[in-house]
Amino acid sequence: QVTLKESGPVLVKPTETLTLTCTVSGFSLSNARMGVSWIRQPPGKALEWLAHIFSNDEKSYSTSLKSRLTISKDTSKSQVVLTMTNMDPVDTATYYCARTSTEETGGAYDYWGQGTLVTVSS
Amino acid sequence: DIQMTQSPSTLSASVGDRVTITCRASQSISSWLAWYQQKPGKAPKLLIYKASSLESGVPSRFSGSGSGTEFTLTISSLQPDDFATYYCQQYNSYSLTFGGGTKVEIK
């Protein structure tokens, strides 16, 4: 059974760095056909893609947020980590991690975590 | 970045209605398009991938069509469980992008 679960702080202060962890099970982060993205959704707004990490450790970032984001993975721990620097109240959102499978869907997100709400406030 | 434009942003419909949602890409994405359904407080759920392939377990009343820059999601007969927000997403090239969403409301 494939699962993804996000963890991290629920509240961060402006200018702080956010670190979120996605722990996966049911598949390996070294599987050539799998990748994991981070996606966020401000309250009442649309989904926004943030970053993706491929099985070969190649990374891709949102053009508008690239300077603030770092994605990495620890295959042995089955974890994908996202850091976002210089947090601002506009970064308040539910943050999701999601899996892509090129074999099954050609790269669409077939499994999602439950999401974690991060509030940025002093 | 490829921009994805969904229309309408809100749609009011009744149970049994045929519903169509449109998604336009700012440049060709071939058939690399997915549709998701999201209910309040829940993660999105994959409905359609590669523009027209139905995800396993998704009811057959959902269908997708299109290629290039124009795509549609159709619900052939709207059911009570279908009232939700729907998003399209292109995965032709990174940076990936989502549409702005279409909320399907009860008329």
Side-chain angles (χ1 to χ4, degrees), chain A residues 1-86:
Chain A
Q1 181 187 2
V2 173
T3 64
L4 300 93
K5 187 170 185 178
E6 306 88 350
S7 58
V10 295
L11 180 67
V12 297
K13 290 181 168 57
T15 75
E16 287 187 339
T17 294
L18 171 68
T19 299
L20 294 173
T21 300
C22 176
T23 302
V24 309
S25 64
F27 70 100
S28 171
L29 294 174
S30 62
N31 186 317
R33 299 180 181 88
M34 309 293 176
V36 173
S37 284
W38 284 95
I39 296 148
R40 72 178 179 179
Q41 185 173 38
K45 296 188 177 181
L47 300 163
E48 179 183 21
W49 177 79
L50 299 176
H52 184 81
I53 191 162
F54 297 84
S55 59
N56 64 0
D57 213 38
E58 183 180 346
K59 297 140 188 172
S60 184
Y61 295 100
S62 162
T63 303
S64 60
L65 293 168
K66 186 173 186 175
S67 63
R68 298 173 53 204
L69 296 173
T70 302
I71 191 170
S72 62
K73 66 183 172 84
D74 185 331
T75 302
S76 66
K77 293 183 179 179
S78 295
Q79 293 181 333
V80 176
V81 176
L82 180 77
T83 61
M84 180 180 290
T85 61
N86 194 25

Side-chain angles (χ1 to χ4, degrees), chain B residues 18-94:
Chain B
R18 181 181 181 88
V19 166
T20 299
I21 299 168
T22 298
C23 182
R24 289 188 175 87
S26 60
Q27 63 189 72
S28 177
I29 58 170
S30 184
S31 295
W32 300 113
L33 183 103
W35 290 96
Y36 302 89
Q37 176 194 67
Q38 187 180 34
K39 296 182 178 180
K42 299 294 186 181
K45 171 189 174 184
L46 178 64
L47 299 176
I48 301 286
Y49 61 92
K50 291 182 191 174
S52 60
S53 295
L54 191 67
E55 172 70 343
S56 177
V58 174
S60 58
R61 62 181 180 271
F62 291 93
S63 64
S65 64
S67 66
T69 61
E70 294 253 348
F71 302 87
T72 59
L73 173 70
T74 299
I75 309 173
S76 60
S77 177
L78 198 65
Q79 298 302 300
D81 191 49
D82 302 338
F83 291 97
T85 300
Y86 295 83
Y87 292 95
C88 63
Q89 178 233 336
Q90 68 82 16
Y91 53 105
N92 178 73
S93 61
Y94 286 82

